Amino acid sequence: MQGHPYQQEVRAVTSTAPADHRDGFVPFPADLAERYRREGYWAGRPLGELLRDAARQWPARPALLSDQPAATTYAELDHAADRMAHGFLALGVHPGDRVVLQLPNTPEFLPLLFGLLRAGIIPVLTLPAHRRAEIEHLTRLSNAVAYVIADRLGDFDYRTLAAEVRAHVPDLRHVLVLGDPGPFTDLNSIPADGDSLPEVDASDIALMLVSGGTTGLPKLIARTHDDYVYNATASAEVCELGPEDVYLATLPVAHNFPLACPGVLGTVATGGSMAFVTDPSPESAFAAIERHRVTVTAVVPPLAQLWCAAVEWEDADLSSLRLLQVGGAKLAEVNAREVAPALGVRLQQVFGMAEGLLNYTRAEDSDDLVCTTQGRPLAPADEVRVVDEQGRDVADGEEGELLTRGPYTLRGYYRAPEHNARAFTPDGFYRSGDLVRRLPSGHLIVSGRIKDVINRGGENISCDELEEHLLAYPGVRHAAAVGLPDPGLGEKVGVVLVTEGELPSLPDIKAFLTDRGLATYKLPDMLRQADSLPVTAVGKIDKKALAARH
Ligand code: OOB
């Protein structure tokens, strides 16, 4: 067991000593850490320094754009972050403590995030759509001492949620509210001046992301300063971000994609400006794009489709937009082909995960590569294996599970030793659960999830493949295939469609799929129509909820 990555974790979890923030953290092994430093992936800089450097280089440049007439400059943002850092320390929150953040997309997220990072306090980044089950679980798992919320978003009151969480998690000492604090503390009452901030070690945990995992309760992914600085800056380079860019946070900014791929952190690293929308609908997002002359943003596929359709009825000026990143779930080729002509932008496919590995299509890739693949790995040091069920590498072009290891991919979930024993190979590759095919160029085509298959009388049907065919049917906006329990077959094939006009008949759909060469056993047994499909916290189609509904 010597040097086994889970060893430290097991010891830590069974320890009776007070919980230290590194208990349950699985570090990179020393030899690889040394290599990533030597090869320049890890710069030894704390994440909070990205903003320090930007403020030095571009003090008067606009950082945060909002409805206020004047933007917040980099110098002002830098100062606000320092005051936030001192405020938390003065409150008695210590370096290494965890603080759960749950804010809608608002410019205030940035000084708060950087303030915590600079104080060495670890933000746990939850999404606005999380509710009691998730927040309580994540608060306990991280032993958080504080929870930061907005007063409300739409008709949801986060103060009610906070009261419930606090009643169940006694270790949670502070609830800080952006807006009307009600019975809690006003976040804007805590910023303070101070002299010096703690030293932050770049190999330490910077922040925690929530896994997008589809089974069980969410897990925590501890990202180090070193790995996340690389994640954001290398992504900014691939996207050719510069000081003239304006990034719009359309997806919830606590998610890895809009946060650091390259997202707001990549924008800070390159001196651009940031704008925020809480509502990603075409009406609201297009208005923000026009108003702030947005150049780059990131969306999930259902939103990309909606935006492409919406140019028909929304007459906002989108001419500033140069790059639309689409990722988070498979973008079907038919939909990918629409993006550039409909929106007048370059499309970039992004296949990423909070766990680490990021794949991007590049500016120099052909249209075919951009529309039919989900990109290739960000770092030359990203190790990608595509393996069969026995764990043997398959040839290029063959389908298999993607395993990965690299300078910004986790070595274990936080405080999850049992799960880690299954989710990682003994030599530290993360088993993504994603089925992919690799082209000789290194580009990956995602063909499904290991578990997103329907087993119809022993025949396996990939939901992804079936959905891709269904989306090619005229008038089909969204398609989801789900396994439905069947006494004879075990499972049968259910299909839910969101259509523009009338629902096609089941025989029509079967004939269409047969024409496209699909095997008979993959044809749907049942067809339903829906006005919309349920989505996860970040806007991906939620298969679990869908299966429960039908
Ligand atoms: C992103 O991160 P997560 O952690 O919410 O979800 C990761 C999972 C992947 O394992 C894969 O199953 C799926 O989402 N996924 C895609 C995809 N991008 C993510 N499946 C097919 N095609 C794609 N382009 O979703 C995420 C993180 C950073 C950047 C972009 C997305």
Side-chain angles (χ1 to χ4, degrees):
M1 281 291 277
Q2 181 123 45
H4 191 282
Y6 320 118
Q7 200 174 31
Q8 171 182 349
E9 217 184 2
V10 174
R11 174 165 42 78
V13 167
T14 53
S15 148
T16 50
D20 175 77
H21 70 279
R22 286 181 73 97
D23 290 349
F25 167 61
V26 185
F28 288 86
D31 56 334
L32 275 178
E34 199 272 322
R35 175 185 159 202
Y36 296 147
R37 282 194 193 99
R38 193 179 61 237
E39 294 181 359
Y41 293 103
W42 293 356
R45 291 162 70 213
L47 198 48
E49 292 299 294
L50 287 186
L51 174 58
R52 191 75 77 209
D53 294 350
R56 245 181 239 130
Q57 221 177 322
W58 306 284
R61 285 203 64 88
L64 304 177
L65 310 176
S66 68
D67 292 340
Q68 306 292 319
T72 303
T73 66
Y74 270 100
E76 287 163 346
L77 174 57
D78 186 50
H79 184 61
D82 276 345
R83 286 180 43 83
M84 194 59 90
H86 289 297
F88 272 91
L89 294 169
L91 204 61
V93 181
H94 300 294
D97 282 349
R98 277 75 62 206
V99 170
V100 173
L101 253 58
Q102 188 181 30
L103 289 183
N105 281 7
T106 147
E108 277 98 343
F109 180 83
L110 265 289
L112 172 64
L113 177 73
F114 276 102
L116 293 169
L117 291 169
R118 285 181 177 175
I121 298 166
I122 301 170
V124 176
L125 299 176
T126 67
L127 305 179
H130 285 140
R131 291 294 178 258
R132 198 183 118 195
E134 291 95 5
I135 299 293
E136 217 178 284
H137 165 70
L138 296 168
T139 305
R140 271 185 220 279
L141 181 62
S142 64
N143 279 118
V145 299
Y147 176 31
V148 184
I149 53 173
D151 49 5
R152 46 195 316 138
L153 178 62
D155 53 14
F156 187 76
D157 194 325
Y158 288 94
R159 292 162 301 189
T160 313
L161 172 59
E164 285 173 8
V165 172
R166 190 131 86 163
H168 289 89
V169 188
D171 287 351
L172 191 61
R173 293 204 301 269
H174 308 280
V175 174
L176 302 158
V177 186
L178 180 65
D180 174 1
F184 303 115
T185 308
D186 179 357
L187 177 67
N188 284 323
S189 71
I190 71 159
D193 289 320
D195 296 330
S196 64
L197 289 169
E199 266 302 285
V200 174
D201 178 347
S203 66
D204 210 337
I205 302 170
L207 49 81
M208 293 190 188
L209 299 174
V210 176
S211 74
T214 44
T215 48
L217 284 166
K219 291 170 195 69
L220 282 175
I221 298 159
R223 303 289 304 254
T224 65
H225 293 271
D226 270 329
D227 94 64
Y228 219 50
V229 166
Y230 175 77
N231 189 115
T233 55
S235 295
E237 221 175 290
V238 161
C239 297
E240 299 166 344
L241 284 194
E244 299 306 323
D245 275 305
V246 180
Y247 181 85
L248 179 68
T250 303
L251 298 175
V253 66
H255 185 271
N256 193 30
F257 193 9
L259 182 62
C261 308
V264 291
L265 292 177
T267 303
V268 168
T270 48
S273 309
M274 290 153 272
F276 300 81
V277 282
T278 50
D279 163 18
S281 70
E283 199 185 359
S284 123
F286 288 7
I289 292 169
E290 176 175 297
R291 175 181 176 135
H292 299 300
R293 305 293 299 156
V294 169
T295 62
V296 181
T297 192
V299 296
V300 287
L303 206 52
Q305 278 177 263
L306 183 63
W307 284 17
C308 286
V311 288
E312 301 281 322
W313 67 85
E314 295 285 342
D315 60 1
D317 174 9
L318 304 181
S319 60
S320 57
L321 203 59
R322 68 169 178 88
L323 181 69
L324 185 70
Q325 301 183 284
V326 183
K330 178 71 178 276
L331 178 65
E333 185 189 336
V334 278
N335 300 132
R337 299 243 180 234
E338 282 174 12
V339 170
L343 298 168
V345 296
R346 178 160 80 77
L347 164 70
Q348 178 183 55
Q349 293 213 44
V350 187
F351 163 38
M353 48 200 79
E355 286 80 1
L357 180 72
L358 301 172
N359 301 276
Y360 291 98
T361 58
R362 309 298 209 269
E364 65 271 18
D365 287 346
S366 67
D367 279 356
D368 279 343
L369 274 177
V370 170
C371 293
T372 60
T373 80
Q374 282 62 59
R376 63 179 173 82
L378 173 63
D382 281 321
E383 297 174 74
V384 166
R385 293 179 58 202
V386 183
V387 303
D388 65 16
E389 278 161 22
Q390 279 72 48
R392 292 176 304 219
D393 294 86
V394 302
D396 280 350
E398 303 267 312
E399 186 182 76
E401 184 187 7
L402 177 145
L403 310 185
T404 187
R405 173 170 94 159
Y408 58 101
T409 294
L410 87 174
R411 303 291 298 207
Y413 291 97
Y414 189 65
R415 298 185 174 165
E418 278 138 42
H419 181 74
N420 286 341
R422 294 190 300 276
F424 293 82
T425 65
D427 53 354
F429 278 81
Y430 166 60
R431 299 184 209 267
S432 71
D434 292 320
L435 292 170
V436 302
R437 286 184 287 129
R438 180 167 44 192
L439 303 181
S441 61
H443 288 75
L444 300 173
I445 299 172
V446 181
S447 50
R449 296 268 317 152
I450 277 190
K451 293 201 181 81
D452 199 13
V453 287
I454 301 169
N455 188 317
R456 188 179 190 279
E459 305 267 25
N460 278 335
I461 300 156
S462 152
C463 294
D464 239 60
E465 182 197 9
L466 183 54
E467 287 158 11
E468 181 116 19
H469 285 290
L470 289 163
L471 282 170
Y473 193 97
V476 171
R477 278 243 184 93
H478 305 290
V482 287
L484 302 172
D486 181 82
L489 294 163
E491 275 187 314
K492 60 183 181 177
V493 183
V495 162
V496 185
L497 297 179
V498 178
T499 57
E500 258 150 44
E502 241 177 71
L503 182 70
S505 72
L506 186 58
D508 281 351
I509 288 282
K510 284 183 167 178
F512 174 80
L513 295 171
T514 307
D515 261 5
R516 291 176 68 90
L518 213 65
T520 323
Y521 69 85
K522 295 182 182 171
L523 300 178
D525 298 292
M526 190 219 76
L527 188 62
R528 286 276 158 77
Q529 189 169 29
D531 292 336
S532 63
L533 298 178
V535 292
T536 65
V538 75
K540 306 183 195 188
I541 290 167
D542 187 343
K543 288 296 194 65
K544 248 193 337 190
L546 199 68
R549 209 202 251 182
H550 289 273

